[in-house]
Amino acid sequence: MIDKLLEAKRVVCLTGAGISAESDIPTFRGEDGMWKNHSPEELATPGAFVRDPALVWEFYNWRREIIAKAKPNPGHLALAEMEKIFDDFYIITQNVDGLHQKAGSEKVIELHGDIWYVRCTEDCSQETKLFPLYEIPLKEIPPHCPKCNALLRPHVVWFGETIPTPPLDAALELSANNDFFMVIGTSAMVQPAASLPRYAIRSKIYTVEINPEKTALTEIVDECILGKAGSALPLLLEEIKKYL
Ligand code: BV8
């Protein structure tokens, strides 16, 4: 694997909740993924928000409080260093926690949005189309638009909502056009993100999975490192540095 990685001009990574697990952010399908007996799939939907915006915002407030305390772990930091080593190094992330950017990664495509941004559900003005809301905990649940008092919603992609075209097109293009693809910390169950590694494999790109557990991808990738991102990625970085 290391020879393929060293020859690579463009490296692309797809990350999921697993890369933030060692930053103490619960994954979606791990045993800590539930919140008050609700699964994220139940709450991260437009229907749940219409039915009970307060409950959905309680869920996001809980996650925001956890994420606010979270620090990038050695896995995030190793990817940020790799971005400086390779000519072209991109991260496509399913996560909304912003930890890749906090770790120093700059070329990050957030497929599912950013938990720190909100938008007015009435789309009432340019300023409230999309703006940051960092207060922890939220002063008001659910929060209302400062301009028109309509409900605010988190700027994340819910189940049943389409991924915005710009990040999705960029992710599709990168997944099929690179020299080395790493899929890190994802159960590869959520579409269309889960199809990205398959595009890489179909494009005959050397694909490596890093995950302590097997997934639906494990059988079809070129190599699987059965381990945690927080230890596997720093080891990979050390290996790379031997040849620099
Ligand atoms: C779409 C943002 C077109 C929000 C997220 C029925 C109706 C409507 C849609 C569908 C439907 N059936 C299927 C769909 C499609 C649906 C989907 O895929 N559903 C799944 C449940 C089957 N997808 C969508 O709706 C997408 N849009 O398809 O639009 C459309 C539109 C209408 C109708 C049809 C189609 C939008 C999906 C985006 C949802 N938003 N997040 C928020 O965060 O609040 S998804 C969210 O869950 C995450 O972003 C992520 O994508 C996913 C969680 O997956 P993972 O990241 O993989 O995390 P998970 O916990 O599952 O796994 C963690 C992994 O880490 C494990 O493998 C574990 O072993 C590993 N791990 C643990 N520790 C470590 C580790 N790895 C490394 N190191 C460690 N230390």
Side-chain angles (χ1 to χ4, degrees), residues 15-22 26-30 40-41 44 59-60 63 93-96 111-113 115 156-163 184-193 209-215 227-230:
T15 65
I19 195 163
S20 296
E22 290 159 273
T27 63
F28 284 72
R29 282 173 190 79
E41 266 119 50
F59 170 58
Y60 281 94
R63 287 175 64 200
T93 189
Q94 301 172 78
N95 302 336
V96 297
L111 271 189
H112 297 157
I115 202 164
V156 298
V157 180
W158 280 330
F159 290 99
E161 293 185 321
T162 47
I163 315 280
I184 306 163
T186 181
S187 60
M189 308 232 318
V190 172
Q191 294 298 351
E209 178 181 45
I210 297 177
N211 194 319
E213 291 168 17
K214 291 191 171 193
T215 71
K228 293 185 172 184

Side-chain angles (χ1 to χ4, degrees), residues 74-130:
H76 295 106
L77 296 168
L79 292 183
E81 257 201 79
M82 287 183 201
E83 180 179 306
K84 298 188 183 75
I85 293 171
F86 290 92
D87 297 350
D88 242 354
F89 190 94
Y90 290 87
I91 296 172
I92 302 162
T93 189
Q94 301 172 78
N95 302 336
V96 297
D97 58 33
L99 288 188
H100 285 302
Q101 294 91 326
K102 261 196 183 156
S105 292
E106 291 174 5
K107 295 195 267 189
V108 180
I109 293 166
E110 292 178 318
L111 271 189
H112 297 157
D114 178 339
I115 202 164
W116 295 113
Y117 276 71
V118 295
R119 58 182 197 253
C120 173
T121 51
E122 291 302 323
D123 201 8
C124 70
S125 68
Q126 201 47 38
E127 306 91 283
T128 57
K129 224 174 182 52
L130 183 61

Side-chain angles (χ1 to χ4, degrees), residues 143-203:
H144 289 83
C145 174
K147 271 205 121 45
C148 75
N149 205 38
L151 281 173
L152 292 175
R153 62 159 284 175
H155 182 63
V156 298
V157 180
W158 280 330
F159 290 99
E161 293 185 321
T162 47
I163 315 280
T165 307
L168 182 58
D169 284 357
L172 290 166
E173 195 279 331
L174 286 168
S175 298
N177 297 286
N178 66 82
D179 309 304
F180 193 93
F181 194 94
M182 285 195 273
V183 45
I184 306 163
T186 181
S187 60
M189 308 232 318
V190 172
Q191 294 298 351
S195 299
L196 298 174
R198 291 176 173 85
Y199 292 144
I201 292 162
R202 262 217 294 281
S203 311

